[in-house]
């Protein structure tokens, strides 16, 4: 059985999990902090506790040096200069700072922002607020595979467009947007390009020069680093200017005041350094796991639909609709697995996943979706165990689904007049 | 969100899953909910000549609370008269299973399902009587 064996899939030391806890397959929600990262952070909670902004004694210098090293590690992973990396509390703050900060700075001349319907809520919600403040926002649609159409982007550009914000990798369906192509189009028009790379960092190669990225949001805990830390890359040449959201002592080049949490900065740096070194091999390993899962589940079950493109996708994500089986009911059945669903019942709202809806997935099918996330500590036997449990439970729940029964009888479910409730 | 033991028991070991012959005049069928809303319940009752429910079966597409609510109601209606069965309130189901507030609508759906099944049965009986009268 593949439940939380003590060795990681790649032989790396696994975080110590309670052996009774479910098998973790929700790597897009968060990732466990790599034990090597925890180790690197440890001294900065205790003997190296200094304030990195203290200029006049050993403790401050020690912490400052550690933060500088971490900044360089983050920069190195994305092909940036360390001076261009601003530490924040996480990708939500980074996205807020990028959109509001750049938006407000250039508002007098340009007040139009372009983003996309499948962005993370923190981008969409920030855009809604900017709209209330007099900005115009274009929300690009996505194609059935989850990717934007570059022609839509080109058509959306206006004389007053200041910023384009398109995510690197989608958190629900794992699809990779064409960053390089988007960057080239933006640079041509002298429009700033921001990308939320919370889910992309450490998963796909990123190079701010090659991709013409002007701002990039980074998260610690999505890439085996700690929670509570993130970063925003802000290009220096050509210079991107922004209005600070948090005022104070002028840290982070005045763009983000507040004492830096040196242990967390060290953790993010260490996580980026590990990612830079291991990303290639990890991607290959996860692809094998992903392919094994995909082939096994589609061989065993009919009426299973993958949401989002398979090719332009990180290998650590699968998102399936298991027709005729409601997602939350399914999650409850596979309680040995920690996964997530785009079903309405799992969210505060009663609408199923807006991302799946933007892809044009029928609302009925959106209710049956399950997101399975693989990562650094997932092993081959974990995958086999998960396939077995999910397939078994889908079969059980289909036997009790009136919709499955009707479909087997050849009844077209769309021909029935369902009562709203 | 922690679910009650009773709810989990009904979800893991649901009672009375299955289907009755919907064309049988003694069977009432209720089909409520909508796939677009994420839950659909089919509840069927087999009614004896004395108006007592002899058997009940269900199939449900929905979350664990919806499955448990329909399983529970099939247990409750067996042996009841159709009029008593139609009197079951969703609040009784919600209380028995300790449904969290966001899941109350699952119990409402179960109440709607039994009412729809009873009503379907009555319509069929009415139609049956008419047929007999017409034959006379």
């Amino acid at each position: 059985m593949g439940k939380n064996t003590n060795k990681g899939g790649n032989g790396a030391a696994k975080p110590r999990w309670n052996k009774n806890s479910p098998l973790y397959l929700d790597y897009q929600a968060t990732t466990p902090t790599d034990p090597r990262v925890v180790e690197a952070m440890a001294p900065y909670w205790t003997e190296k506790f200094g304030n990195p902004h203290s200029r006049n004694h050993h403790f401050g210098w020690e912490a400052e040096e550690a933060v500088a090293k971490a900044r360089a590690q983050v920069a190195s992973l994305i092909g940036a200069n360390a001076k261009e990396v601003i530490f924040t509390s996480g990708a939500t703050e980074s996205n807020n700072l990028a959109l509001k900060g750049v938006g407000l700075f250039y508002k007098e001349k340009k007040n139009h922002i372009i983003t996309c319907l499948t962005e993370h809520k923190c981008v969409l919600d920030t855009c809604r607020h900017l709209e209330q403040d007099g900005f115009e926002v274009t929300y690009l649609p996505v194609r059935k595979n989850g990717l934007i159409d570059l022609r839509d982007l080109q058509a959306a550009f206006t004389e007053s467009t200041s910023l384009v914000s398109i995510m690197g990798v989608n958190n629900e369906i794992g699809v990779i947007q064409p960053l390089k192509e988007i960057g080239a189009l933006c640079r041509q028009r002298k429009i700033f390009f921001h990308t939320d790379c919370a889910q992309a960092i450490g998963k796909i190669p990123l190079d701010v020069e090659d991709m013409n990225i002007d701002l990039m949001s980074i998260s610690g805990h999505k890439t085996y680093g700690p929670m509570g830390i993130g970063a925003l890359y802000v290009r220096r040449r050509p210079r991107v200017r922004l209005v600070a959201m948090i005022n104070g002592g002028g840290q982070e080049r005045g763009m983000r005041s507040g004492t830096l949490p040196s242990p967390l900065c060290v953790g993010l740096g260490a996580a980026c350094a590990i990612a830079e070194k291991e990303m290639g091999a990890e991607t290959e390993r996860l692809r094998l796991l992903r392919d094994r899962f995909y082939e096994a589940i589609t061989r065993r079950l009919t009426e299973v639909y993958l949401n989002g493109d398979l090719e332009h996708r990180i290998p650590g994500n699968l998102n399936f609709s298991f027709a005729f089986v409601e997602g939350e009911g399914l999650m409850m059945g596979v309680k040995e697995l920690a996964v997530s669903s785009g079903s309405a019942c799992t969210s505060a709202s009663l609408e199923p996943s807006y991302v799946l809806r933007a892809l044009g997935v029928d609302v009925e099918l959106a209710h049956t979706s399950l997101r399975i996330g693989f990562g650094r500590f997932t092993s081959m036997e974990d995958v086999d165990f998960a396939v077995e449990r999910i397939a078994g439970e889908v079969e059980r729940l289909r036997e009790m689904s009136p919709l499955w029964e009707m479909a087997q009888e050849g009844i077209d479910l769309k021909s029935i007049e369902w009562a709203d409730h | 969100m922690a679910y009650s033991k009773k709810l989990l028991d009904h979800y893991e070991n649901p009672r009375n899953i299955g289907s009755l012959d919907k064309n049988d005049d003694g069977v009432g069928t209720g089909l409520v909910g909508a796939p677009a809303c994420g839950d659909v319940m089919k509840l069927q009752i087999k009614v004896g000549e004395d108006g007592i429910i002899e058997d009940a079966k269900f199939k449900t597409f929905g979350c664990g609370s919806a499955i448990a609510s329909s399983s529970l109601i099939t247990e409750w209606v067996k042996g009841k008269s159709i009029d008593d069965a139609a009197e079951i309130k969703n609040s009784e189901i919600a209380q028995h299973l300790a449904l969290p507030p966001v899941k109350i609508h699952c119990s409402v759906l179960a109440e709607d399902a039994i009412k729809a099944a009873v009503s379907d049965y009555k319509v069929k009986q009415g139609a049956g009587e008419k047929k007999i009268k017409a034959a006379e």
Side-chain angles (χ1 to χ4, degrees):
Chain A
M1 192 168 93
K3 267 185 72 180
N4 298 335
T5 46
N6 289 321
K7 244 172 71 179
N10 55 356
K14 231 177 167 176
R16 265 180 250 143
W17 277 318
N18 182 336
K19 63 180 189 315
N20 295 320
S21 58
L23 172 61
Y24 191 75
L25 291 175
D26 203 9
Y27 277 80
Q28 278 78 54
T30 191
T31 54
T33 315
D34 191 301
R36 292 169 287 180
V37 170
V38 176
E39 199 183 329
M41 289 166 67
Y44 295 91
W45 297 111
T46 50
E47 74 263 31
K48 301 182 180 181
F49 62 88
N51 183 330
H53 312 295
S54 294
R55 286 286 157 80
N56 33 21
H57 53 65
H58 168 78
F59 294 96
W61 302 329
E62 190 174 58
E64 187 188 23
E65 200 180 299
V67 168
K69 181 183 168 195
R71 203 187 296 280
Q73 288 170 319
V74 175
S76 171
L77 182 58
I78 59 172
N81 185 304
K83 287 178 184 160
E84 299 171 306
V85 174
I86 305 299
F87 285 113
T88 66
S89 63
T92 291
E93 185 190 329
S94 299
N95 287 334
N96 269 267
L97 179 56
L99 290 158
K100 291 178 185 164
V102 171
L104 290 171
F105 192 92
Y106 297 95
K107 191 183 177 188
E108 293 302 309
K109 288 179 188 156
K110 295 174 163 188
N111 72 338
H112 178 231
I113 292 170
I114 301 172
T115 184
C116 141
L117 284 173
T118 54
E119 291 292 311
H120 191 272
K121 276 279 159 72
C122 66
V123 167
L124 296 177
D125 193 46
T126 300
C127 286
R128 295 283 179 218
H129 276 268
L130 288 170
E131 280 183 283
Q132 285 168 8
D133 288 346
F135 284 87
E136 276 189 41
V137 181
T138 300
Y139 300 90
L140 297 178
V142 292
R143 290 174 291 171
K144 207 169 165 46
N145 62 4
L147 302 180
I148 64 161
D149 189 326
L150 293 169
R151 285 166 300 186
D152 290 338
L153 174 62
Q154 280 175 290
F157 286 139
T158 71
E159 287 304 309
S160 54
T161 307
S162 62
L163 184 69
V164 168
S165 181
I166 301 289
M167 70 196 335
V169 170
N170 184 271
N171 48 306
E172 287 193 33
I173 54 175
V175 298
I176 304 166
Q177 297 288 0
L179 296 182
K180 185 172 175 167
E181 289 77 4
I182 297 168
L185 289 173
C186 291
R187 185 58 58 89
Q188 255 174 32
R189 305 277 309 229
K190 294 196 166 66
I191 292 167
F192 291 132
F193 174 33
H194 165 248
T195 176
D196 171 8
C197 281
Q199 297 283 352
I201 197 91
K203 313 285 165 52
I204 59 169
L206 292 167
D207 187 311
V208 293
E209 293 306 325
D210 181 48
M211 294 171 160
N212 288 305
I213 291 166
D214 297 307
L215 300 114
M216 182 196 291
S217 299
I218 292 168
S219 163
H221 76 102
K222 307 281 192 195
T223 184
Y224 309 96
M227 286 177 172
I229 184 90
L232 180 66
Y233 159 78
V234 184
R235 177 175 290 282
R236 276 160 66 95
R237 286 194 197 86
R239 189 175 178 199
V240 179
R241 306 186 68 180
L242 49 80
V243 178
M245 296 292 111
I246 297 178
N247 306 114
Q251 290 92 345
E252 302 301 89
R253 292 163 56 209
M255 289 191 247
R256 205 278 189 182
S257 288
T259 300
L260 286 175
S262 27
L264 299 181
C265 296
V266 166
L268 177 57
C272 288
I274 294 170
E276 189 172 353
K277 194 161 139 263
E278 300 182 355
M279 183 163 49
E282 188 158 279
T283 301
E284 285 314 304
R285 196 184 71 84
L286 289 176
R287 184 167 289 133
L288 291 177
L289 297 190
R290 192 268 308 273
D291 290 349
R292 187 180 177 95
F293 190 103
Y294 183 88
E295 277 158 27
I297 203 89
T298 50
R299 199 182 324 122
R300 172 105 177 246
L301 297 170
T302 58
E303 304 263 13
V304 177
Y305 306 97
L306 181 73
N307 296 309
D309 201 87
L310 184 59
E311 197 184 325
H312 299 102
R313 187 187 199 109
I314 55 163
N317 170 283
L318 283 172
N319 185 314
F320 287 114
S321 285
F322 296 99
F324 314 115
V325 175
E326 198 273 335
E328 194 197 349
L330 178 55
M331 280 204 299
M332 199 162 153
V334 294
K335 60 179 188 294
E336 305 88 341
L337 313 176
V339 289
S340 76
S341 169
S343 143
C345 283
T346 61
S347 63
S349 72
L350 285 172
E351 292 295 312
S353 156
Y354 68 92
V355 172
L356 298 186
R357 298 290 291 133
L359 263 59
V361 173
D362 278 350
V363 61
E364 291 85 345
L365 273 178
H367 278 293
T368 70
S369 77
L370 202 67
R371 181 181 74 181
I372 302 137
F374 310 107
R376 187 168 292 168
F377 306 106
T378 312
S379 68
M380 195 69 95
E381 56 174 358
D382 290 341
V383 166
D384 294 344
F385 175 68
V387 167
E388 192 53 41
R389 284 300 301 122
I390 292 170
E393 198 60 19
V394 168
E395 282 165 353
R396 178 180 94 95
L397 291 168
R398 277 181 177 171
E399 280 312 308
M400 63 170 101
S401 166
L403 304 179
W404 175 252
E405 182 182 61
M406 291 160 94
Q408 299 303 300
E409 288 167 2
I411 298 169
D412 178 8
L413 295 175
K414 293 207 185 296
S415 71
I416 293 176
E417 277 186 40
W418 301 97
D420 282 330
H421 66 281
Chain B
M1 182 154 48
Y3 290 104
S4 70
K5 276 188 182 146
K6 281 179 188 165
L7 189 152
L8 290 172
D9 181 41
H10 275 282
Y11 171 77
E12 280 162 13
N13 311 293
R15 308 354 169 213
N16 307 309
I17 296 175
S19 297
L20 301 168
D21 178 6
K22 61 177 182 286
N23 298 318
D24 181 340
D25 277 348
V27 170
T29 301
L31 183 66
V32 297
C37 302
D39 34 31
V40 175
M41 250 178 227
K42 187 186 79 166
L43 185 68
Q44 293 184 301
I45 48 172
K46 167 86 178 148
V47 185
E49 285 177 2
D50 51 2
I52 301 294
I53 297 172
E54 293 171 349
D55 198 7
K57 295 278 183 201
F58 85 93
K59 285 205 171 190
T60 289
F61 163 82
C63 62
S65 302
I67 289 169
S69 297
S70 33
S71 167
L72 177 67
I73 205 165
T74 57
E75 275 197 327
W76 279 2
V77 300
K78 276 197 210 177
K80 276 197 167 69
S81 72
I82 49 172
D83 290 331
D84 285 349
E87 288 294 307
I88 294 173
K89 293 275 170 290
N90 82 285
S91 53
E92 301 167 57
I93 300 167
Q95 198 180 3
H96 186 85
L97 296 173
L99 293 182
V102 293
K103 296 294 175 189
I104 297 298
H105 73 274
C106 298
S107 63
V108 174
L109 208 57
E111 180 188 321
D112 290 350
I114 184 63
K115 286 200 163 87
V118 167
S119 142
D120 178 58
Y121 171 76
K122 284 185 172 170
V123 168
K124 275 185 176 174
Q125 292 304 303
E129 278 166 27
K130 273 177 210 154
K131 261 188 234 162
I132 294 165
K133 275 181 191 157
E136 285 170 359

